[in-house]
Amino acid sequence: MPATRPSRAIAVLDLDNTIVRGSAVFHFGRGAVSRGLIAARDVWSFAWQQFRFAHHGENTGKLRDIQDRALGIAAGRRLDEITALMPDIYDRWIAPCVWPHIPDIIAMHREAGREVWIATASPRVIAAYIAERLRCTGAIASDLELTPDGRLTGRFSGPVRHGQSKADAVAALARERDLDLAASFAYTDSINDEALLRLVGNPVAVNPDTRLRRLAGHEGWPVLRLRRR
């Protein structure tokens, strides 16, 4: 089906548990262990931090602390070293965890002439590569702090794109590109993205957590159930 003329509407997809099962950063960590980049024990420590982040997020009042400690396992590594690993890690560890219907959803929006963006708290180096492989327009993600010689410090350099910060970044993108958010779509699994869902005219709950499922039912939002097959 040929693409129509460009639309002023967009589709925004969360990454963890929406595009991929689980945490994309954790899947990256598994691949980094297989390449000897980091130790296995560090990945499990990182997985615990990611679990706390995903389930508590901004409500803990320690969002930056949780993410900073999680990123600490990569401190001292060069960003270009991480970037060079992405093709192999994506093929072996991330691609198998992409929900089967997600490429179809992305293609549907592209065919309708809409830009498709990934919006996530995950590091940009990971999110941008996943966006490229899935033929998305780009990624709204969290930037990593670097030393002058290009090494990771283990901290973020700006806002962690989670919750309200993610919605603010999408709103800023809409202003910059003169987009129509009332005609746009957002897909996410988490109640933490309520602000993003309320920002667009077409919110969709994907395999929602308990609180988001209740909210979707109350608001009459569609619920999309994705399965491995």
Side-chain angles (χ1 to χ4, degrees):
M1 182 177 178
T4 60
R5 63 184 179 84
S7 168
R8 289 179 56 237
I10 61 172
V12 181
L13 290 85
D14 175 46
L15 180 57
D16 294 344
N17 288 318
T18 302
I19 291 178
V20 301
R21 301 189 307 275
S23 165
V25 179
F26 178 59
H27 297 316
F28 171 84
R30 294 167 63 206
V33 168
S34 73
R35 299 293 296 270
L37 187 67
I38 57 178
R41 65 178 181 274
D42 290 330
V43 173
W44 291 111
S45 172
F46 182 64
W48 170 241
Q49 301 297 342
Q50 286 288 307
F51 175 84
R52 290 184 59 201
F53 171 66
H55 285 74
H56 301 289
E58 294 170 318
N59 295 331
T60 65
K62 298 181 179 180
L63 174 61
R64 179 59 69 96
D65 178 60
I66 291 171
Q67 284 283 43
D68 281 355
R69 284 187 286 130
L71 289 172
I73 63 173
R77 296 292 182 179
R78 293 186 57 85
L79 180 61
D80 55 11
E81 183 180 16
I82 301 295
T83 303
L85 291 178
M86 282 307 303
D88 180 65
I89 289 179
Y90 180 86
D91 289 336
R92 294 180 57 190
W93 299 95
I94 298 176
C97 295
V98 174
W99 290 109
H101 287 89
I102 287 297
D104 295 335
I105 292 171
I106 292 171
M108 174 189 71
H109 287 293
R110 284 171 46 85
E111 288 165 1
R114 302 183 189 103
E115 295 183 356
V116 181
W117 288 80
I118 292 175
T120 177
S122 295
R124 185 177 304 279
V125 63
I126 297 174
Y129 188 79
I130 294 174
E132 178 185 341
R133 292 294 297 267
L134 291 176
R135 301 188 66 196
C136 297
T137 308
I140 294 168
S142 304
D143 291 309
L144 299 176
E145 184 180 79
L146 300 175
T147 63
D149 65 346
R151 295 184 182 276
L152 301 175
T153 66
R155 296 182 295 272
F156 284 113
S157 65
V160 176
R161 295 306 182 187
H162 180 266
Q164 186 63 51
S165 177
K166 182 189 294 186
D168 290 344
V170 172
L173 178 73
R175 290 191 298 271
E176 176 186 326
R177 302 170 79 91
D178 190 28
L179 301 171
D180 183 2
L181 289 177
S184 295
F185 296 74
Y187 298 79
T188 182
D189 71 296
S190 175
I191 190 64
N192 291 324
D193 285 329
E194 180 180 354
L196 172 63
L197 292 169
R198 294 192 181 281
L199 188 65
V200 301
N202 300 283
V204 181
V206 180
N207 291 352
D209 60 30
T210 301
R211 292 176 62 195
L212 179 56
R213 184 173 67 250
R214 291 172 182 165
L215 178 63
H218 181 267
E219 298 290 342
W221 296 342
V223 174
L224 183 61
R225 298 287 183 181
L226 300 181
R227 297 292 180 262
R228 294 191 180 191
R229 295 188 181 181

